[in-house]
Amino acid sequence: MLNRVLLLALLLIPPAVAVAANPVPLPRERPAAGAQATAETTPLPRERPSEMESAPAPSSAASSAEPAASSAEPPSSPGEPPPAEPPKPPRDYQVACPALMQGKVEGKALPPIHDGQCGLQSPLAISAIAANGRSIPLSTTITTDCGMATALPDWVAEVDSFVFARDKARIDTINVSTNYECRNVDHAKAGNLSFHSFADALDIMGLTLSDGRKISIAPGFNGTPEQGRDILHFARDAACTHFMTVLSPDADSFHQDNLHLDLACHGKQCVTRLCQ
Ligand SMILES: [Zn+2]
């Protein structure tokens, strides 16, 4: 009888009491597994890249980025001065002249000359010409280019040899006049620039010889042999094989007292010489 009462009492105990008495509750493990799964599926590093990508977008960052951007663009403001000229190159790109390096002329390189349309990038200051083993000074240092510095020595050597063959004298000094000068042809107010404007021309006034004679284009060119006519005519004719333009008193009224020499290009191929 007592056993039946106890069995009945056990059957009447509520299920909650039986669960509470269970030492291994399953509900404690499920929240832990759930929290771990949440951390793995929503990691912080995945959210940060998405923020970085959206930051540069103009629509989302416009309000904070525009002030800095506008201050970095000076031309966008209407009242500001025009932009400054582009910076100059880091150096002057000049070239060396072999005639100077090899001692065919005496002088030195000069800085570039930029004078409007006139000038040149690699001018030279030449004070003497080497010819027939001697240094023949110019009456004044000239500013010229490498082409003229290259052509002058051979021409001077030819004239010097002619003077020696004819009169047993030598050229002591080459008397020169205009070299570099920014001006039009024949000093005209309008027209083409002279090649003097590019330091590619030289005016010869005459020669001083070792025997003491001073031969001048005027009046020697159209004068007597004693005034040097033969030497000056030879000098003009010889120049026509070394230079591209030679203008003597036979040319025009502008060259009655000088022999103009330059290396100007004549003709499409630059092989035509103007010899007057
Ligand atoms: Zn001239």
Side-chain angles (χ1 to χ4, degrees), residues 171-182:
I171 300 175
D172 263 3
T173 305
I174 304 166
N175 300 314
V176 298
S177 179
T178 306
N179 42 97
Y180 170 72
E181 186 177 65
C182 185

Side-chain angles (χ1 to χ4, degrees), residues 72-253:
E73 297 174 359
S76 63
S77 301
E80 294 185 2
E85 294 183 358
K88 293 183 178 180
R91 58 174 289 191
D92 285 321
Y93 294 95
Q94 293 188 283
V95 295
C97 181
L100 180 62
M101 297 167 61
Q102 296 167 4
K104 295 180 179 178
V105 293
E106 295 178 19
K108 63 179 182 180
L110 295 174
I113 299 173
H114 298 299
D115 183 13
Q117 291 183 292
C118 303
L120 76 166
Q121 187 66 17
S122 301
L124 304 172
I126 300 300
S127 58
I129 308 293
N132 295 332
R134 297 161 34 246
S135 175
I136 303 178
L138 303 176
S139 58
T140 186
T141 298
I142 63 170
T143 298
T144 192
D145 64 3
C146 186
M148 291 295 288
T150 302
L152 280 166
D154 287 345
W155 173 69
V156 172
E158 275 197 42
V159 178
D160 182 71
S161 295
F162 179 84
V163 171
F164 183 76
R166 183 183 187 276
D167 296 335
K168 297 295 183 280
R170 292 292 190 185
I171 300 175
D172 263 3
T173 305
I174 304 166
N175 300 314
V176 298
S177 179
T178 306
N179 42 97
Y180 170 72
E181 186 177 65
C182 185
R183 64 167 171 82
N184 288 331
V185 171
D186 296 335
H187 295 273
K189 291 184 178 179
N192 295 325
L193 287 170
S194 165
F195 272 72
H196 285 289
S197 304
F198 312 108
D200 185 64
L202 176 63
D203 290 346
I204 305 293
M205 305 303 288
L207 305 170
T208 300
L209 305 182
S210 59
D211 60 11
R213 286 180 292 165
K214 185 174 182 178
I215 298 173
S216 300
I217 302 294
F221 193 83
N222 291 317
T224 65
E226 291 72 24
Q227 291 174 312
R229 183 187 63 194
D230 297 344
I231 295 172
L232 294 174
H233 275 254
F234 179 88
R236 190 272 310 273
D237 294 345
C240 293
T241 64
H242 295 281
F243 301 91
M244 303 309 292
T245 308
V246 179
L247 301 175
S248 73
D250 287 345
D252 54 39
S253 60

